Structure formats: structure tokens, C-alpha cells
Amino acid sequence: MTHDLAQAEVDLAAVAHNVGVLAAHTPAAVMAVVKADAFGHGMLPVARAALAAGATWLGVATAAEALALRAAGVRAPVLSWLHSPRTDFAELVAADVDVSVPSVAHLDAVATGAHQAGRPAQVHLKIDTGMARNGADPAEWPQLVTRAAALERAGLVRVHGIWSHLYEADRPGSPGTTAQQDAFASALIRAMAAGLRPPLRHLANSAAVFSTPSTHYDLVRTGLALYGVEPVPGREHDLRPALTVTTEVAAVRRVPAGTGVSYHHAYKTARPTTLALLPLGFGDGLPRVTAGRAEVLLGGRRCRVVGRICMDQCVVDAGDLPVAAGDPVTVFGPGELGEPTVADWAGWAGTNPHEILTGLGGRIPRHHRSHDRTRQLTGRH
Ligand SMILES: *Cc1c(COP(=O)(O)O)cnc(C)c1O
């Protein structure tokens, strides 16, 4: 059930370009984080484009995402990081998926899975360095690394990585990041003392790639920047936003001053104006809280979304612009033609770009485009 009046164009050449930008900022290997359907961009096309452009790892949150990559024939290394001890680890091990391990309970479940699969599990032990989210409690770490070393000797696991996640790498110079790096270094020393020799140590997300080189270690896990959104607001790294959402005006109305628009008449027209109906609403991922602030590009101009955003539709005040039903509308895109960006929408919604991208509804069809001849020919970025 996809929309016939709205679409998302995914510029895979931009994804490839962004992998290049990331790789130019680090000697570490680049993991393309393609969880949540590649932040709404389409997991498989993005994974393939990122790998072709030089990313060597894929990162996903769930077992189902990892297995979907394998089922589609993607052979590159994949790390999956969100499981409970009840997860079917045998299936992941059999599919050659690396799994994150945040506790002894998880480790034992993984070892059982490896036994069932008849081959060692490749694990990345995760230490909580200060985020208090998903990772081993530092108090449990000595036990976790000791047990992992024993299971490694038993041939049931191979400790491929040790890792953690930063909670505010988007604030360059944060003392929190420094403290996390110290905690990570201590965890690595403890793991070495237990006899582990993990080839991959990883800590950095997109923001840290640009803001904190000392976090790069062997691998960087990049999501947001891969999709062309600046992870540190205000900084410019020649990233190219990959997603453009467009629609068309479904209908227009010329209305007098004082016309109340949409539910509860939250907006009243100040003068005679043209209202353009857009066939997109909060059911498609346009956050309801952005009404009155959000803008779209219509007729070459920024026009404001007014009145309550509904589930499937919203209204734009086009003023005296000569707009007609069928006119093209850009909801967000790279910003080069004056259209809002995903960062603009995040600002209007009071959230981060990740939430806008992953919130885009499934009924907006994604079209993937691999070659951007205009940009290549003109050398524009
Ligand atoms: C989502 C995620 C990433 C990617 O983060 P960005 O800030 O989008 O680069 C990296 N690591 C983990 C553990 C994640 O969950």
C-alpha cells in the first residue's frame, strides 16, 4: 500500500560519497550502520552502496535485520547488537553474524547457540563506559572477560571485538567523552589481562569520527553521516543528504481572511490566501508538533504548514503564489534548491534528525538512484 502522490528518492551516489568523506577522516575501518531500514533509506540498497564505496562492516540493531541482510545474499561482516539471552543465537552464528555481548547471561546463551550451530560464535564484548544503556556493568566486566577467554579456549566463541558507545560525541570536547575513553581503555587492559586479543576495538559513532579522532581505534560505526546529515550541528564536512521527500499539491482553495484551518482551527488566515492541501501527515512521519513552524518548498518558495497536521494530510499557506493542484512540493532534501533539510525538520520538531528519518512512514515509496550524473558532470557537491 504505497503512496501514489508522495515519494522518497534515495541518492545512493550520496551515500557512496559520504562513505568517502568518512573514510578520509579516519584510518579505521568504516561500519555502515543500516539499522531501522537504514534510517528509513532502505536497508539493502544502502548496504550494497556503502560496501561498494569502501565500508567493510555493516551494523544493525536486531537479529532480524542481520538475518535479512544474509537472506539477501550480503556476505560482508555484520554486527548485530540488541539481543536478550532468549535470542536465537544459533541462527545468527550459523548465518555468520557477529553478535554483541553485554553480560555473562548473554555470553552463556551465545555459547549455547554456538554449540548448537556447531561453530564458534564471533562476539564483540560490550562495556558500558558511562551511557548506562546497553553494555556490561564495569563491576561485571572482569567476570565477563574471564568467562569469554575460557569459552574462547573451549572453541565456542571468538572474541572478535570489544566496544562501547559514546553518549555525547556530538558535543566536541565534552568531559563525558574523555571519561568514557578512559573507562574504555581500562576495560581493554582488563580484557588483555584475561588473555583476550580482540582485533577490533570500537567506540566512535558519526559525530566522533569528526570530533574526536582518539576514539577511532580499529573501526568506526557510522549512521547519521552516512546518510549525509551533519552529526555535529553547525559543522560542515561536505556530506550530501541522501534522502529527498517530495509530493504534490492535492488540491487548492482560495479562502478569505479569518478562515479557520484544520482541527480546532488552530490557525486562522490573516488575509485572503491560497491554501494548498498536501497528501502527507503524521501517519507518514511529519511530526504533528511542527505545525506552524514547518515549511516546504512549493513554487520555488518556502511555504508554512499551518493548522493541525492530520494523519494523512496537512495544509500549507501559499499566500498569493500561483499554485495549482499537481504542483510539485519538496518536503525536505539536500537543501540546495531552497528546500528544507531533515535537520530543519528536526529543529522544528525539537528532536534529532535520526527520529525524522526513521519516522518516515512505510507508505512513502523509496526510489533508489545510483548515478548522479548532474553532480558528476558539474563537479558540484
Ligand atoms: C545507531 C548506532 C550508531 C550510529 O550512530 P550515528 O550517531 O548515527 O552515527 C553507532 N553505534 C551504535 C551502537 C548505534 O546504536
Side-chain angles (χ1 to χ4, degrees), residues 292-303:
R293 289 190 293 275
E295 297 170 346
V296 297
L297 191 72
L298 165 60
R301 298 275 181 81
R302 290 282 196 102
C303 295

Side-chain angles (χ1 to χ4, degrees), residues 33 35 39 81 133 163 165 205-206 221-224 354:
V33 176
K35 63 189 180 187
F39 289 39
W81 56 66
R133 189 179 66 172
W163 73 301
H165 191 57
N205 60 356
S206 293
R221 304 182 309 273
T222 61
L224 198 61
H354 306 67

